[in-house]
Amino acid sequence: MTVEENSPKVTVVVPTYNERDNLPKLVEQLLALPLDLRVLVVDDDSPDGTGAVADELAAASPGLVGVLHRVEKDGLGRAYVEGISRALDEGADIVVQMDADLSHPAGTIPVMVDTLLTTDAAVVLGSRYVPGGSAAGEWAWHRRALSLWANFYVDTILRLGVKDATAGFKAWRAQTLRRIDVQSVRSNGYAFQVEMNYRAAKLGLPIAEVPITFEERAEGVSKMTLKVQLESAAMPWKLRFGRDLG
């Protein structure tokens, strides 16, 4: 791996809950990228021992893999807020949000970083719905339909002007995260992704999208619950009308 001397410091924040089989594979892929890159695992006290696996990975790659242990599972948004805040405190120039289930292609991160470096984009989304992007062929039809409907629903209400507003694979400039005040983001679950995009768009910050092939998770089960779906449905209206997000 060759990394240029003036390469930006990239931190990939990976929230985990019961991902012990997928995490080692993902970390191996990330550390092989030609970037000045660190991985920060944010584990929500996984009962399957993911946290211990993360500690082993950190011990094997000191300075390259870090672990943030949380004592309760209180949602994806809260995990990201803590992880992103830690990454910023540790001097990251670019922060990447990424799932641990191998559904997001690690190999696209250099493209996302390059887009940040060569354009005025404040954030780059790994998008399933721009030309060249796609979702896994084995993705169940109802999940594909739900994803398409969710993006149509969000864009109709908030007019974000992006194709994949619910995407969870993103690369942010550190200064963007500070401007949108990520620590004050109060939504949780998948609604967190929409609120982050909305805050950037409301400030007039450009949002770019690059195509990805979204794969079905390799191991484990989806974290999508009815509670998460209901919050995600309500969030665009709360954002549009400036209601309390608590």
Side-chain angles (χ1 to χ4, degrees):
M1 179 180 73
T2 301
V3 178
E4 293 184 10
E5 185 176 346
N6 295 322
S7 295
K9 181 179 177 181
V10 179
T11 298
V12 182
V13 177
V14 183
T16 57
Y17 186 76
N18 289 348
E19 298 286 1
R20 62 170 296 133
D21 294 324
N22 292 322
L23 185 61
K25 300 172 187 175
L26 176 60
V27 169
E28 181 181 9
Q29 293 174 12
L30 291 172
L31 294 185
L33 296 175
L35 296 169
D36 180 4
L37 183 146
R38 293 159 183 78
V39 183
L40 176 59
V41 179
V42 185
D43 186 66
D44 279 5
D45 197 24
S46 298
D48 75 341
T50 300
V53 171
D55 286 336
E56 293 172 3
L57 293 167
S61 300
L64 297 178
V65 180
V67 187
L68 176 56
H69 293 281
R70 289 170 15 102
V71 297
E72 63 177 322
K73 185 179 186 297
D74 60 354
L76 181 71
R78 307 277 50 80
Y80 264 130
V81 166
E82 289 194 35
I84 290 171
S85 298
R86 170 74 67 84
L88 293 175
D89 288 344
E90 293 178 347
D93 300 307
I94 292 171
V95 179
V96 176
Q97 295 177 235
M98 189 177 197
D99 289 349
D101 60 9
L102 305 180
S103 59
H104 296 150
T108 305
I109 292 177
V111 177
M112 299 166 79
V113 169
D114 185 65
T115 302
L116 287 177
L117 297 178
T118 58
T119 72
D120 64 351
V123 57
V124 178
L125 314 183
S127 176
R128 296 160 288 188
Y129 303 125
V130 294
S134 64
E138 65 270 22
W139 221 24
W141 71 267
H142 62 278
R143 290 188 61 194
R144 190 184 303 269
L146 177 62
S147 175
L148 288 167
W149 168 251
N151 276 286
F152 172 77
Y153 176 82
V154 167
D155 192 57
T156 298
I157 299 168
L158 297 179
R159 300 296 184 185
L160 296 179
V162 297
K163 299 292 187 182
D164 202 348
T166 63
F169 188 26
K170 305 177 182 178
W172 295 87
R173 296 180 190 269
Q175 57 264 43
T176 302
L177 293 167
R178 294 189 177 97
R179 284 195 65 186
I180 68 175
D181 190 14
V182 67
Q183 289 187 323
S184 71
V185 175
R186 299 178 63 186
S187 58
N188 223 326
Y190 293 88
F192 174 81
Q193 311 294 0
V194 174
E195 183 177 354
M196 292 282 281
N197 290 339
Y198 176 76
R199 288 186 175 217
K202 192 173 181 180
L203 290 171
L205 302 176
I207 301 174
E209 296 180 87
V210 298
I212 65 165
T213 298
F214 178 87
E215 299 291 349
E216 183 61 280
R217 68 162 38 247
E219 303 287 347
V221 296
S222 173
K223 311 302 190 299
M224 177 67 77
T225 64
L226 178 60
K227 180 180 179 181
V228 168
Q229 292 181 52
L230 291 174
E231 183 196 23
S232 298
M235 181 55 59
W237 295 106
K238 290 182 177 182
L239 291 170
R240 179 169 177 179
F241 293 107
R243 293 171 55 191
D244 179 28
L245 302 181

